Amino acid sequence: MSVDQHRVLVVDDELQIRRFLRISLSSQGFDVIEAENGEQALLRALNDKPDVVLLDLGLPDVDGHDVLCAIRAQSDVPVMVVSVRASEDEKVMALDAGANDYVTKPFGIQELLARVRAVLRYRRQISGVAKVRRLQAGDLVIDLDDRRITLSGKAVKLTPKEYAVLALLAEFPGRVVTQAQILKDIWGPVHQHDTHYLRIVISRLRQKLGDSSEQSELIQTESGIGYRLMAAEVEDS
């Protein structure tokens, strides 16, 4: 594997899907390794040092949620769940357990590749000594070190709750943060189900950040699950 080549571990018990993903990912320059059950997945995830894991939940020997928890207990490797299970409960459970993203089968390969690239960017951001502290999306700049938000060069005034929500999303750019996690971290454990608090804050944030159109591009909603901040790290000059 070359220095710039990323290794992807594909975990799926269906040979056809593994072959399809191997061909598709290899054509984009990825080094692809495979596992057909949970036991193999754990061994390869910990021993072969993949840069990202594509994990099916319906494995023959152990449920994929258990594999996810076992991986997350020993590694911070990004894990994307790729599963036929489409219920909100399944998605929330996986994301709360540490999955970086959740893709439902059947999927479009271009969307899957885009999401793989997104989680790899996330891995680069958390692999350094310091967390990402400055992000940009168009004319919006989020500077977490100075607690300063600017839009077209002008300061944006946020309430403490609005800033706390935005800062939490900014810690995981491009990654879904669940409603329950945001409510627990910012409002406290007793408010994990009070989603109306969060919806109000998100609505106000979108208005103040120029993202209040019907098709919000900055703060994206994963219906019934959580929110994703689409912003890029700003390199220091």
Side-chain angles (χ1 to χ4, degrees):
M1 184 173 66
S2 68
V3 174
D4 296 326
Q5 190 176 30
H6 291 104
R7 173 171 289 166
V8 180
L9 169 59
V10 175
V11 183
D12 201 297
D13 63 330
E14 295 189 36
L15 177 61
Q16 297 93 328
I17 292 179
R18 295 202 310 275
R19 180 182 295 127
F20 170 68
L21 288 175
R22 182 176 67 248
I23 293 171
S24 300
L25 290 162
S26 297
S27 71
Q28 298 298 310
F30 292 100
D31 174 42
V32 181
I33 57 177
E34 302 173 30
E36 62 183 359
N37 56 48
E39 182 180 2
Q40 289 181 11
L42 286 173
L43 289 174
R44 305 218 72 171
L46 299 177
N47 295 333
D48 294 336
K49 307 300 181 185
D51 296 295
V52 61
V53 178
L54 304 186
L55 175 65
D56 183 30
L57 296 179
L59 301 175
D61 57 340
V62 61
D63 189 79
H65 286 293
D66 295 328
V67 176
L68 170 61
C69 290
I71 292 175
R72 192 52 73 234
Q74 302 180 64
S75 171
D76 63 358
V77 60
V79 177
M80 286 179 55
V81 171
V82 183
S83 174
V84 71
R85 301 178 190 175
S87 73
E88 289 183 4
D89 287 344
E90 289 281 358
K91 295 178 182 180
V92 170
M93 187 186 306
L95 292 166
D96 277 342
N100 295 70
D101 205 348
Y102 196 111
V103 178
T104 304
K105 298 178 181 176
F107 52 83
I109 189 60
Q110 293 305 319
E111 178 186 358
L112 182 73
L113 290 169
R115 294 194 180 203
V116 168
R117 291 191 291 268
V119 298
L120 287 171
R121 287 195 297 272
Y122 166 72
R123 180 177 176 85
R124 287 196 296 271
Q125 290 161 358
I126 66 171
S127 63
V129 175
K131 291 183 178 180
V132 175
R133 306 305 301 175
R134 196 160 181 261
L135 300 103
Q136 184 169 4
D139 295 328
L140 176 72
V141 176
I142 303 168
D143 192 326
L144 298 178
D145 283 332
D146 291 338
R147 294 178 61 89
R148 180 177 171 82
I149 314 298
T150 58
L151 181 62
S152 300
K154 297 181 179 179
V156 179
K157 293 183 179 181
L158 302 178
T159 67
K161 279 289 193 293
E162 290 166 355
Y163 178 82
V165 170
L166 182 63
L168 180 56
L169 294 175
E171 289 185 15
F172 307 99
R175 175 180 171 183
V176 175
V177 184
T178 64
Q179 295 176 355
Q181 188 63 52
I182 299 172
L183 288 164
K184 178 182 176 182
D185 286 1
I186 296 174
W187 277 269
V190 298
H191 293 291
Q192 288 187 68
H193 303 292
D194 295 332
T195 56
H196 58 287
Y197 292 159
L198 182 54
R199 286 197 299 270
I200 291 171
V201 170
I202 291 292
S203 176
R204 290 175 178 170
L205 269 175
R206 284 173 169 156
Q207 290 177 358
K208 291 183 178 182
L209 301 179
D211 189 46
S212 57
S213 65
E214 292 185 3
Q215 298 296 326
S216 299
E217 297 182 358
L218 175 65
I219 302 176
Q220 296 183 352
T221 301
E222 292 288 337
S223 182
I225 300 171
Y227 299 94
R228 185 197 313 262
L229 179 69
M230 302 306 296
E233 179 181 1
V234 178
E235 299 289 343
D236 293 331
S237 57

